Amino acid sequence: MSSDLFSLAGRVAVVTGGAGQLGRAIVAGLEERGAEVAVFDLAADRYRVDVTDRAELENAVDEVVRELGVPHVLVNAAALDSPPDAPAEEVGPLESYPEASFDEVMSVNVKGTFLPCQLVGARMAAEGRGSIVNVSSVYGMLSPVQDLYEFRRRGGEEFFKPVAYSVSKSALYNLTRYLATYWAKSGVRVNTLTLAGVANDQPREFVEAYAERMPLGRMADVGEVVGPVVFLASDASSYVTGANLVADGGWSAW
Ligand SMILES: NC(=O)c1ccc[n+]([C@@H]2O[C@H](COP(=O)([O-])OP(=O)(O)OC[C@H]3O[C@@H](n4cnc5c(N)ncnc54)[C@H](O)[C@@H]3O)[C@@H](O)[C@H]2O)c1
C-alpha cells in the first residue's frame, strides 16, 4: 500500500462517460493522482465506445489491457438524463412518458453500467484487485422534487423530471451490492457514488429553487466530484465495498 493513501500512481483507470461534464473532471482528477486513464465514450477521441454494445466494449477493453495493462479502477459515469431545458416530449406528464425513451435510458444507464462492470470486473477479479465506482444520483435514491421545475409550469409548459432517469439510477445500488459481494473474495471492491446537481449554466430559476432546497445552499462545483471518486478508487477506501457514498450537499439529510 502506498504511503499516500490517495495515490493512484501506476494505476490504470477506465472512465465511461469520460468526455462528459463530470467525466472530464473525474479523468483530470484521476490523472492528477498519477493514474493512466482510458475514456470510454461515444464522444471519446481514443476509445470510442457505445457502453450498451458488448462487442465494442470487449474490443476496447482488450486494447486497454494490451496498451496500458489490466485496469485497477473503473468509473461508470456514462448516462442519459433530461436536463432542465430538455425538449417537451421528454419531460411531459408521466402518463404519456414515451416508452422508447424509457427503454433507451434504461439501456444506457443500467445495461451500460452492467456491461463495463462485467467485462472490466472479470479482468480485475482475475488479477485479484480492483475498484469500481458506479455514479448514481439523488434522483435515483429519492424521488425528484417536482416543485423545483414549477418555474417552467408557470410559464405555461408541462414539465416533470422524467421517471426513467430515477428508475435507472436506482438500479445501480443493487448492481453495486450484488457485485461487491460477488467479487469481495477476489479483491474487487464495488461502490456507488451518489451525487446531487452540479452547476452547469442551468436556468437561473432552477438554480435558485435548487439552492433553496439544498442544505449547503448551492449546487456542487464540478471539481467537488473528484474527491469522492479518488477516495473510492484509491487505497484510502480499502475496507469500503458495497457502499453508497453520498456527496449531495445534504440534499438527503432532511
Ligand atoms: N451533472 C449532474 O448534475 C449529475 C448529478 C447527479 C449524478 N450525475 C451523474 O454523473 C454522471 C455524469 O453526468 P454528466 O453530467 O457529466 O453527464 P454528461 O451528459 O455531461 O456526460 C455523459 C457522457 O456519457 C456519454 N454517453 C452517453 N451515452 C453513451 C453511450 N451509449 N456510450 C458511451 N458513452 C455514452 C456522453 O457522450 C457524455 O460524454 C452520470 O452518470 C449522471 O447520471 C450527474
Side-chain angles (χ1 to χ4, degrees), residues 6-181:
F6 295 92
S7 171
L8 294 171
R11 310 274 170 98
V12 174
V14 169
V15 179
T16 78
Q21 190 212 357
L22 274 52
R24 287 193 303 273
I26 291 167
V27 170
L30 295 175
E31 285 176 342
E32 203 175 305
R33 287 277 156 185
E36 281 205 81
V37 184
V39 171
F40 284 10
D41 198 300
L42 288 174
D45 299 328
R46 181 70 189 80
Y47 303 99
R48 191 159 304 167
V49 182
D50 180 344
V51 290
T52 67
D53 186 319
R54 197 174 202 285
E56 282 188 17
L57 277 167
E58 269 176 348
N59 287 337
V61 172
D62 284 348
E63 260 181 71
V64 169
V65 170
R66 251 194 332 269
E67 290 167 12
L68 306 174
V70 174
H72 301 76
V73 175
L74 167 65
V75 180
N76 282 302
L80 293 180
D81 186 12
S82 297
D85 52 358
E89 61 275 15
E90 284 287 321
V91 292
L94 172 92
E95 288 82 348
S96 54
Y97 182 72
E99 188 178 337
S101 302
F102 190 88
D103 288 344
E104 197 188 354
V105 169
M106 290 299 283
S107 177
V108 174
N109 296 6
V110 182
K111 187 165 95 168
T113 301
F114 166 68
L115 289 176
C117 285
Q118 186 185 37
L119 294 170
V120 178
R123 304 280 192 142
M124 290 172 162
E127 296 292 312
R129 83 306 184 265
S131 172
I132 298 176
V133 181
N134 294 323
V135 180
S136 187
S137 161
V138 284
Y139 282 2
M141 199 165 70
L142 303 166
S143 174
V145 177
Q146 299 291 0
D147 294 358
L148 296 182
Y149 307 94
E150 189 56 37
F151 74 96
R152 290 192 59 160
R153 295 190 283 273
R154 268 199 310 273
E157 290 172 85
E158 288 200 282
F159 186 97
F160 297 92
K161 184 73 187 176
V163 64
Y165 183 74
S166 288
V167 176
S168 67
K169 286 291 164 184
S170 195
L172 301 189
Y173 296 110
N174 229 31
L175 174 64
T176 290
R177 286 186 284 256
Y178 186 106
L179 297 176
T181 55

Side-chain angles (χ1 to χ4, degrees), residues 226-249:
V226 172
V229 174
V230 168
F231 168 68
L232 290 174
S234 66
D235 294 342
S237 60
S238 56
Y239 201 62
V240 181
T241 196
N244 174 28
L245 174 53
V246 182
D248 71 347

